[in-house]
Amino acid sequence: MSEMTHPAVHEAPTGFIRKWIFSLDHKIIGIQYYFLALFSAFLGMILSVIFRLRLAWPTETWPLLAKIFPTGFEGGPMTPEFYLSMVTMHGTIMVFMVLTTAPQGGFGNYVLPIQIGAHDMAFPVLNMLSFWVTFVSLVVMVAALFAAGGAPISGWTAYAPLSALGQVAGPGQGLGQTLWIISIAIFCVGSLLGALNFITTVLNMRAKGMSLMRLPLTVWTWFTTAILALLSFPVLLAGGILLLMDRLGGTSFFIPGGLIVSDKIIRHSGGSPILWQHLFWFFGHPEVYIAILPGMGVTSQLLSTFARKPVFGYRAMVYAIIAIGMLGFFVWGHHMFISGLSPYSAIAFSILTLTIGVPSAIKTFNWLGTLWGGKIRLTTPMLYALGFVSLFVSGGITGLFLGQTSLDVYLHDTYFVPGHFHLIMGVAAIFGIFAGTYYWFPKMFGRMMNEGLGKLHFWFTFIGVYAIFLPMHTMGIMGHPRRYAQATEFKYLAATQPFHIFITIAAIITATAQIIFLVNFLYSLFKGPKAPNNPWEATTLEWTIPSPPPHDNFGGKTPVVHHGPYEYSVPGAPKDYVMQTDPPLPGGH
Amino acid sequence: MAAFLAVVIWLVTVASIYLFSGIPGWFPEQISEHGGAIDAQFIRTLVVVAISFISAQVVLGYFIWRFRGRGTGRATYTHGSVKLEVGLMLLTAVVFVTLAAMGQKVWAQLHLREAPPDAVQIEVTAQQFAWNIRYPGADGKFGRTAVKFVDDQTNPVGVDPQDPAGKDDVVSVNRMAVPVNRPIQVTLRSKDVTHSFFVPVLRLKQDAVPGMQIPIHFKAMKTGEYEIACAELCGLTHFKMKGYLMVMSDQEFATWLKERANN
């Protein structure tokens, strides 16, 4: 084992700072990403509960909240600008700081090198940088939340010119919006560094015998996600810089001539608001898959492990992952059918969008096929994986409505849209994160989580998220536009108010139930029973080493792989699972 | 617990069917010429979605219950079936692409076909947070506009006072009268940020983008007063950006215009 073949090998650090803060170890960096996401998830969730209060009870006063955010409650009830700033920050924090970090930066970082038999990522210093750049981005985003003049109100999509004009366009559009854009630009840089690292690691650092068709499906999804991030984040970065120049440098990339805002004539000309939408969604659609693909990988891995069966149609699953990743780059226009986009290109975008249904159907079919004939062990991680399948079907299939030009003429920007994308890229992805947490916690921290609390948490969350997001589809069918601070101004929306109240109550219960998770997590971290090497009797490489693994993962040895990733219930094998490093079986399996 | 999870998944399925198929009563009324085709496409899509959704969830629940770990035997050892994968791929590709193609007919009618030449011309200029509705008057021509003439009280769209074509223009704020059963062509503009002109009863929505003039056309088939909503986040009081579409007879429409012109 020379430095040449394993450039990533570095000595175990001894000092606290090099070990826990500026660590080069992919495992520590993965845990850092995970905690960053955990903090952000609770923050984002609290913001959502706050704005849900106004939707259910628009005229109610909230003395406790008014003490924390005095400007958001001037005159008693929550102000509409405060509502919009909460919506904006909830969406931004969840999409960027949770859904982009936990699945990839968190679990990907921790598990991927071990699953391919590597001692670390290809570029450990780059890895450390990518985390700390992301951390700075989070700090700036939290600063935007508390910025003088308020947090931005233009939504997580920050459509220009609302986001480009500054304070004149509305409260929070001054400093708050500027900080928001800076944070996103920094985030893009961090994600780019991470993506480079993942791709190189998968291509160069696989152990002997770990051919591409022996990679666990988790690795395939992290690899594809990294390629998506590499190709899409630079476009958002460019868009963010141009938007910042429009605001601070007097340029006009997104601001057309002849505008008059709040009686003020705007001295810009020549820009295009639609250009921002193209740049944003060229990133924004692949971003959906950046959030959800790792969850698909985790689900495949867990269904196979706990049904004690090989993944049904492994090759088809790999091709479906690649197809989803590729098609994901050609469908951004379906966010823009009614934006003034050419109606001819809308037709092309629409048909391409519906073809994504094909690999998605293949994935669902193969998950069901994996369960068929299995011996299912309903552990907590398995419950979350099964929940993922159900949510993926429910959230994905409504894309058949929204992907169509003609239906978007009615459904676009109604509650149908948040109903759809929360189920698929929001909670399905979160279920992937929970599944991964309950599954890999023993490996990461060397202790088991509590199964009883885990199951209780699952039931509240699974029923809760359906109660929150299914009724939103109905509200969309009733024509309720999203991002309304209240529904009471329109007669035709009168019937939606009971829905708002129901959803808010469901959201409060579901959010409160997350305390069960937090308690379980923290308690198990210190007091959970010691975890064996392979508590789930699983087959992939991370289960061949101690929990938690030593600094260089494999204790100075290099694993050699002899089997595919999901060899469960092999006839004639001594146990009902064959680990990837087990010697070849007599008979040639 | 397997049985419980299966039952929960099936209950969610039943709840979804209820939440989606109460629809005929929950869609707002439909009064436009093209709206029926949109609703029909929705129903077609609903059928495809319902079949796939229900079969996937029912099978998922059934497998969880049926294959819960019991006994000592091992699970079935299989790596899948290429025949089934290819079959499913072809089936879904044909169904989904056909569905997408069917929906394009009404899209083409709305966006690829132009409004008939005798369509009533109306210009809608959105601003934070109101709809300015302008009619060309007797000469059938809109006067030139420029920001320097804009005055929120007296001249909200900034019609050039020197332009003779603008003399008889009629401007109404938040109230849009249209004659029933006549083609209407609306040109959408915006003074400040992006808004979206959404009339639920017409099954019609189109962004009003600053710097662009976007044409849309429709025919309203039933008289009455209906609400116009803004569907694109445009700032502080987005939720109150309300207008009214007043569909009236030809005669009432002529009278309405004349009254405004005299003011």
Side-chain angles (χ1 to χ4, degrees):
Chain A
M1 182 168 50
S2 71
E3 283 296 297
M4 288 299 288
T5 50
H6 293 288
V9 173
H10 42 83
E11 293 302 306
T14 45
F16 178 82
I17 289 182
R18 291 313 299 262
K19 190 168 177 195
W20 294 108
I21 299 176
F22 297 108
S23 172
L24 299 178
D25 182 350
H26 71 98
K27 298 187 288 301
I28 302 297
I29 296 169
I31 290 171
Q32 288 173 325
Y33 262 114
Y34 185 85
F35 279 107
L36 179 142
L38 192 65
F39 166 80
S40 306
F42 274 84
L43 177 61
M45 186 180 71
I46 290 166
L47 300 185
S48 71
V49 171
I50 292 175
F51 73 69
R52 283 286 348 157
L53 289 177
R54 183 179 159 109
L55 289 171
W57 303 286
T59 54
E60 199 62 49
T61 54
W62 310 95
L64 189 65
L65 281 171
K67 262 189 203 128
I68 306 170
F69 300 100
T71 52
F73 294 81
E74 267 165 12
M78 191 184 303
T79 62
E81 60 267 36
F82 186 73
Y83 160 83
L84 283 175
S85 69
M86 290 291 111
V87 170
T88 301
M89 297 307 286
H90 161 75
T92 308
I93 288 173
M94 287 303 201
V95 169
F96 290 95
M97 306 299 168
V98 181
L99 299 177
T100 312
T101 58
Q104 186 82 357
F107 292 122
N109 239 318
Y110 194 102
V111 179
L112 179 141
I114 310 182
Q115 280 193 338
I116 63 172
H119 298 77
D120 203 321
M121 291 289 247
F123 310 115
V125 176
L126 205 62
N127 204 17
M128 175 186 79
L129 271 177
S130 74
F131 170 75
W132 283 105
V133 170
T134 307
F135 180 80
V136 171
S137 162
L138 174 64
V139 170
V140 177
M141 189 57 75
V142 172
L145 183 57
F146 295 102
I153 63 165
S154 60
W156 83 279
T157 53
Y159 273 15
L162 182 59
S163 59
L165 292 168
Q167 195 74 42
V168 68
Q173 294 311 91
L175 179 63
Q177 185 73 64
T178 302
L179 289 172
W180 185 96
I181 301 167
I182 291 172
S183 164
I184 294 301
I186 298 172
F187 189 88
C188 293
V189 175
S191 296
L192 265 180
L193 299 181
L196 279 172
N197 215 349
F198 275 83
I199 294 168
T200 313
T201 305
V202 172
L203 292 179
N204 280 358
M205 312 265 297
R206 280 172 286 130
K208 190 167 174 240
M210 183 58 89
S211 61
L212 289 177
M213 284 297 151
R214 279 181 181 166
L215 286 177
L217 287 172
T218 43
V219 175
W220 270 109
T221 55
W222 287 319
F223 179 58
T224 310
T225 299
I227 295 173
L228 296 186
L230 184 75
L231 299 178
S232 66
F233 272 106
V235 179
L236 181 66
L237 178 59
I241 291 170
L242 299 185
L243 186 56
L244 212 54
M245 304 250 293
D246 272 8
R247 294 171 59 85
L248 306 175
T251 56
S252 299
F253 295 105
F254 306 121
I255 310 173
L259 296 195
I260 176 161
V261 184
S262 308
D263 293 330
K264 236 186 92 196
I265 294 176
I266 304 295
R267 299 282 169 216
H268 282 268
S269 69
S272 159
I274 303 267
L275 175 62
W276 167 260
Q277 297 186 27
H278 279 296
L279 295 175
F280 184 85
W281 288 118
F282 188 89
F283 149 80
H285 201 78
E287 166 63 25
V288 173
Y289 301 111
I290 290 173
I292 194 77
L293 272 172
M296 296 188 193
V298 170
T299 297
S300 302
Q301 165 110 3
L302 268 63
L303 292 185
S304 172
T305 304
F306 294 109
R308 314 308 294 166
K309 276 195 65 199
V311 166
F312 194 87
Y314 172 89
R315 268 176 189 274
M317 291 301 246
V318 172
Y319 299 147
I321 290 165
I322 296 169
I324 290 173
M326 274 176 40
L327 285 171
F329 274 105
F330 300 103
V331 299
W332 79 91
H334 71 219
H335 298 270
M336 299 170 58
F337 288 154
I338 62 150
S339 68
L341 181 80
S342 153
Y344 293 95
S345 54
I347 293 174
F349 279 125
S350 175
I351 289 171
L352 279 165
T353 299
L354 262 64
T355 58
I356 292 193
V358 177
S360 308
I362 298 269
K363 299 221 67 125
T364 307
F365 177 77
N366 285 337
W367 287 327
L368 294 176
T370 305
L371 294 175
W372 173 81
K375 304 280 290 179
I376 298 173
R377 298 176 180 172
L378 277 184
T379 59
T380 304
M382 181 59 162
L383 286 175
Y384 273 97
L386 293 167
F388 180 97
V389 176
S390 175
L391 288 161
F392 180 80
V393 170
S394 308
I397 211 145
T398 48
L400 288 179
F401 293 100
L402 294 172
Q404 295 188 51
T405 49
S406 54
L407 299 183
D408 244 28
V409 171
Y410 181 71
L411 292 174
H412 180 82
D413 259 332
T414 66
Y415 263 84
F416 202 91
V417 178
H420 158 74
F421 77 71
H422 271 97
L423 280 184
I424 187 88
M425 92 175 278
V427 288
I430 294 277
F431 267 53
I433 296 170
F434 278 137
T437 305
Y438 287 105
Y439 181 69
W440 281 307
F441 186 95
K443 185 55 61 185
M444 294 168 82
F445 302 108
R447 292 177 187 274
M448 303 299 291
M449 285 183 84
N450 184 289
E451 278 285 305
L453 287 176
K455 283 172 179 152
L456 190 65
H457 173 231
F458 170 79
W459 291 116
F460 271 109
T461 310
F462 186 60
I463 298 170
V465 293
Y466 268 126
I468 296 168
F469 297 111
L470 274 181
M472 287 191 186
H473 296 86
T474 316
M475 294 165 73
I477 292 167
M478 294 154 102
H480 192 331
R482 30 186 313 213
R483 295 164 167 168
Y484 270 24
Q486 61 199 63
T488 51
E489 294 292 321
F490 284 83
K491 269 201 296 278
Y492 85 98
L493 295 180
T496 63
Q497 200 53 31
F499 284 78
H500 273 309
I501 295 171
F502 177 83
I503 291 172
T504 298
I505 292 170
I508 291 170
I509 295 172
T510 313
T512 310
Q514 301 315 304
I515 296 172
I516 303 170
F517 172 77
L518 210 54
V519 167
N520 191 357
F521 189 95
L522 294 174
Y523 178 82
S524 307
L525 204 52
F526 300 104
K527 300 275 178 188
K530 288 255 184 277
N533 288 5
N534 190 3
W536 313 119
E537 302 187 299
T539 51
T540 43
L541 293 186
E542 75 271 32
W543 305 109
T544 62
I545 56 176
S547 307
H551 174 72
D552 69 346
N553 297 343
F554 294 95
K557 291 193 282 276
T558 308
V560 179
V561 173
H562 298 287
H563 299 279
Y566 303 116
E567 290 299 296
Y568 292 97
S569 303
V570 183
K575 290 172 297 188
D576 85 333
Y577 62 106
V578 179
M579 302 196 74
Q580 286 196 276
T581 50
D582 282 354
L585 294 173
H589 271 293
Chain B
M1 194 167 52
F4 186 60
L5 181 55
V7 168
V8 169
I9 289 173
W10 291 335
L11 283 177
V12 164
T13 311
V14 173
S16 305
I17 297 169
Y18 172 70
L19 285 168
F20 276 78
S21 66
I23 292 166
W26 287 353
F27 258 121
E29 189 183 0
Q30 196 295 106
I31 66 153
S32 69
E33 190 187 34
H34 71 271
I38 289 184
D39 289 2
Q41 179 66 13
F42 186 93
I43 298 296
R44 274 193 286 274
T45 309
L46 186 64
V47 171
V48 173
V49 164
I51 292 171
S52 344
F53 171 79
I54 294 169
S55 46
Q57 301 283 11
V58 166
V59 169
L60 175 64
Y62 174 71
F63 281 4
I64 290 169
W65 173 77
R66 171 73 178 73
F67 299 111
R68 65 193 187 279
R70 283 176 307 178
T72 50
R74 285 190 184 177
T76 313
Y77 183 72
T78 167
H79 284 96
S81 150
V82 176
K83 222 189 275 174
L84 283 175
E85 308 278 3
V86 173
L88 180 74
M89 196 177 83
L90 293 177
L91 177 73
T92 49
V94 168
V95 171
F96 294 164
V97 172
T98 308
L99 193 61
M102 286 171 91
Q104 303 307 338
K105 199 176 157 200
V106 55
W107 176 258
Q109 181 192 337
L110 268 177
H111 284 284
L112 305 186
R113 203 173 303 156
E114 289 183 8
D118 64 333
V120 177
Q121 296 291 325
I122 303 176
E123 180 199 81
V124 174
T125 306
Q127 72 173 80
Q128 291 179 327
F129 300 92
W131 304 98
N132 301 295
I133 320 288
R134 182 157 69 126
Y135 299 83
D139 63 354
K141 280 190 214 146
F142 289 109
R144 275 193 309 270
T145 61
V147 276
K148 62 183 173 194
F149 302 119
V150 169
D151 181 302
D152 243 7
Q153 300 305 313
T154 58
N155 191 0
V157 290
V159 180
D160 184 346
Q162 303 302 321
D163 184 357
K167 294 280 183 220
D168 60 350
D169 286 7
V170 171
V171 177
S172 151
V173 178
N174 288 336
R175 300 190 79 79
M176 177 170 164
V178 298
V180 70
N181 288 328
R182 292 255 312 268
I184 314 287
Q185 160 132 15
V186 175
T187 305
L188 279 168
R189 304 172 51 190
S190 169
K191 280 161 76 175
D192 41 39
V193 301
T194 304
H195 302 269
S196 194
F197 180 78
F198 178 31
V199 190
V201 291
L202 293 179
R203 305 292 187 269
L204 186 66
K205 186 184 293 135
Q206 176 62 51
D207 284 3
V209 182
M212 290 177 81
Q213 305 203 10
I214 302 174
I216 48 170
H217 58 91
F218 64 88
K219 202 188 262 186
M221 317 285 281
K222 191 180 159 207
T223 57
E225 188 179 276
Y226 309 96
E227 286 168 315
I228 302 170
C230 180
E232 185 59 75
L233 175 56
C234 60
L236 185 54
T237 52
H238 171 51
F239 69 102
K240 293 206 255 209
M241 186 164 162
K242 179 163 69 164
Y244 292 95
L245 175 77
M246 299 171 298
V247 184
M248 46 184 77
S249 69
D250 272 336
Q251 208 167 14
E252 284 172 315
F253 178 65
T255 316
W256 186 86
L257 267 185
K258 203 174 286 170
E259 277 170 15
R260 313 265 138 178
N262 293 339
N263 285 339

